[in-house]
Amino acid sequence: MSQQLAAQNNNPLLGRCDIIGRGRMGHALASALRSAGFKVNGPLGRGADGAGAALVVLCVPDREIESASSLVARGQLVGHVSASAPLALLEPHERFVMHPLLSVATPDAQFKGATCAIDGNSPVTVGIAFSLAERLGMRPRLIDASRRAVYHAAASAASNYITTTLGMAERLAAVAGLDRDALVPLIHSAVEQWAASGAHAALTGPIVRGDEVTVSRQRAAVATNAPELLPLWDALVAGTRTLAARQTEPSA
C-alpha cells in the first residue's frame, strides 16, 4: 500500500498535516509525526478548519468528531483516532481512522511497536492510514466497522479495567501496610506469564487450586476492610471461577 501511495502525484503524506485537538493524544501524535518527518501544524484548538492542509487528523472526544469534521472544507482528507466511533461521522470527506492500541497518558507517549487499528472509506484512504501507522513504527491492522466495538471492548479490558483492578489491589495493600511498589514484581510476573502463554496458563491462586477456605477468608477481609470494593471483588471472583473452569475442561 505504501508504494502505491508514493506513486501518486498528489500524496497527502508529503503535505501539511493539521492535528486538531489539544488533549494528550493530540499533543502526542503531533510530536510523533514531527519526529517522523511530517510537516505538522498543531495541535490546534476548537474551531480549526484545516485550511490549506493536505491531511487533517481529529484528536477530539467522540462526541465532538462530527462537529469538528463539519468545519473542515469539502475535498480535504480527514481522519480520526477514536477506537469505535463510526467512520461515517467524517462524511462527506474522504476519510480514515487510525487508533493506536496503547494508553496515551503523556504528551511524549511512544507509538513505536504498538498495534494500530485502521479503516477507511476506500482503498486509498486505508492505504494512507496504513502508511501513517507504519511511519510511526506501529503495526497496522485493518479492523472493519462490524468489529470495532468488540475491538474497543478488548482494549478497555486490557487497559481501563486492569487499572481498576490494580486500584483495588493498591487499596487493600494499603490496609495491610504495604505500598504500591510491593505489588509491582507480582504484577509484572503475572503479565509476563500471560503474554507468553495466555490467560489459562497464567492463572494462579486459591480459586484455580480449589481452596475455598482461603477464598472465603479473603472475601471476609474485603468486606471488613473495604466494603465498597465487595461488588467488584465478587464479580472478579465469579469471572476467575469461569476462567478456571475452562482451564480444567477436557479437550475435545
Side-chain angles (χ1 to χ4, degrees):
M1 290 184 185
S2 300
Q3 292 177 349
Q4 176 186 354
L5 283 168
Q8 295 181 21
N9 293 327
N10 186 25
N11 184 351
L13 300 181
L14 299 178
R16 194 186 83 212
C17 174
D18 279 13
I19 304 295
I20 299 178
R22 288 177 171 161
R24 290 176 291 188
M25 176 62 83
H27 281 279
L29 187 59
S31 177
L33 287 171
R34 283 193 185 95
S35 296
F38 286 86
K39 304 170 186 175
V40 178
N41 186 28
L44 306 171
R46 188 185 302 273
D49 60 7
L55 176 66
V56 178
V57 182
L58 304 179
C59 300
V60 300
D62 288 14
R63 64 182 179 276
E64 297 179 17
I65 290 174
E66 188 170 21
S67 60
S69 175
S70 70
L71 298 177
V72 180
R74 287 189 178 224
Q76 288 180 278
L77 175 63
V78 183
H80 71 62
V81 295
S82 169
S84 58
L87 191 59
L89 292 177
L90 301 178
E91 292 180 351
H93 304 293
E94 286 297 301
R95 53 202 177 272
F96 68 92
V97 58
M98 53 174 288
H99 176 260
L101 190 55
L102 79 166
S103 179
V104 177
T106 61
D108 59 351
Q110 299 298 306
F111 294 88
K112 186 176 181 179
T115 293
C116 185
I118 64 168
D119 196 11
N121 71 311
S122 71
V124 170
T125 58
V126 169
I128 288 168
F130 190 99
S131 294
L132 278 169
E134 280 195 325
R135 288 276 297 274
L136 292 175
M138 293 190 286
R139 299 176 304 217
R141 290 287 303 274
L142 181 63
I143 306 292
D144 63 34
S146 67
R147 297 182 295 161
R148 291 196 70 82
V150 71
Y151 157 80
H152 197 194
S156 291
S159 57
N160 309 147
Y161 303 154
I162 282 181
T163 302
T164 299
T165 303
L166 294 179
M168 177 177 65
E170 185 177 355
R171 168 87 170 84
L172 296 173
V175 175
L178 296 175
D179 59 22
R180 184 173 62 249
D181 290 346
L183 298 174
V184 171
L186 174 63
I187 295 164
H188 282 175
S189 63
V191 171
E192 288 166 4
Q193 183 61 36
W194 169 80
S197 305
H200 288 178
L203 186 61
T204 63
I207 291 176
V208 75
R209 295 195 301 267
D211 184 354
E212 293 300 326
V213 172
T214 298
V215 173
S216 296
R217 187 184 300 123
Q218 288 179 341
R219 188 182 190 279
V222 174
T224 299
N225 293 282
E228 73 280 6
L229 295 177
L230 204 54
L232 176 59
W233 180 270
D234 287 342
L236 289 170
V237 167
T240 303
R241 288 191 191 283
T242 299
L243 179 59
R246 289 205 305 268
Q247 188 180 47
T248 57
E249 286 175 356
S251 58

